[in-house]
Amino acid sequence: MVVAGAEPYAGISKLLAKKGLSKTVTFIGRVRNMQECYAGSDVLVLPTFYDACSLVVFEAMACGLPCITTKANGAAGIITDGYDGFILDHPPQPEQLANKMALLLQPTQRERMGHAAAKTALDYTIERNHQGILRILNEVAGARDNAHRK
């Protein structure tokens, strides 16, 4: 398992050593080119307790990775549970996370979900986001103009 991002707390490293997992889990710190990281990965796991809408889920799906995240991540709204990723309860239960990760150890399952994830990501382009924001702004401006006319 490779963990990208900030360095782990000392307690995490001690716990991994105690459980005999120091060589199984590698912390690589901050990554400049996440596309390379995604290319070397099979799955993205983000069991967050809160994230308004994690961009990393969109990026990973666009790279063909099935994602595992929680209901507390706004990005879970684009995942169809069991089709292109998995959505965990909030807060995530370790057994639930382990079970979903185990399902993705199967190459055919992982590949099928990865293809589905990439297809899902195609629906969430920067252009679509831009048009959606403009539509909302126009609706708000129109409602405001109508309120002033009354």
Side-chain angles (χ1 to χ4, degrees):
M1 178 182 294
V2 176
V3 180
E7 292 298 319
Y9 297 113
I12 297 286
S13 297
K14 288 179 186 177
L15 179 62
L16 290 172
K18 181 179 175 183
K19 300 279 186 181
L21 296 172
S22 294
K23 293 183 180 181
T24 304
V25 180
T26 303
F27 292 89
I28 61 172
R30 298 199 185 277
V31 176
R32 289 184 188 262
N33 186 344
M34 278 304 294
Q35 286 181 329
E36 288 178 7
C37 194
Y38 297 139
S41 301
D42 294 317
V43 177
L44 175 89
V45 180
L46 183 64
T48 184
F49 281 86
Y50 174 77
D51 201 323
C53 191
S54 180
L55 183 59
V56 71
V57 171
F58 288 84
E59 292 172 347
M61 290 178 77
C63 291
L65 296 178
C67 296
I68 302 172
T69 193
T70 65
K71 293 177 182 178
N73 183 349
I78 73 164
I79 296 173
T80 302
D81 190 47
Y83 173 70
D84 50 11
F86 291 114
I87 303 168
L88 306 172
D89 292 331
H90 175 69
Q93 299 299 311
E95 302 82 20
Q96 184 187 30
L97 175 57
N99 290 338
K100 299 304 181 188
M101 290 174 71
L103 289 173
L104 291 173
L105 289 174
Q106 301 168 15
T108 54
Q109 173 82 348
R110 190 173 58 246
E111 185 176 314
R112 181 186 61 76
M113 290 181 80
H115 286 298
K119 186 177 175 186
T120 297
L122 289 174
D123 291 336
Y124 295 91
T125 64
I126 190 83
E127 293 82 13
R128 178 180 172 189
N129 184 54
H130 179 77
Q131 291 302 318
I133 290 171
L134 287 176
R135 186 183 73 253
I136 291 167
L137 292 174
N138 286 330
E139 286 175 13
V140 169
R144 193 176 115 199
D145 289 344
N146 288 336
H148 284 268
R149 289 185 193 144
K150 291 181 181 181

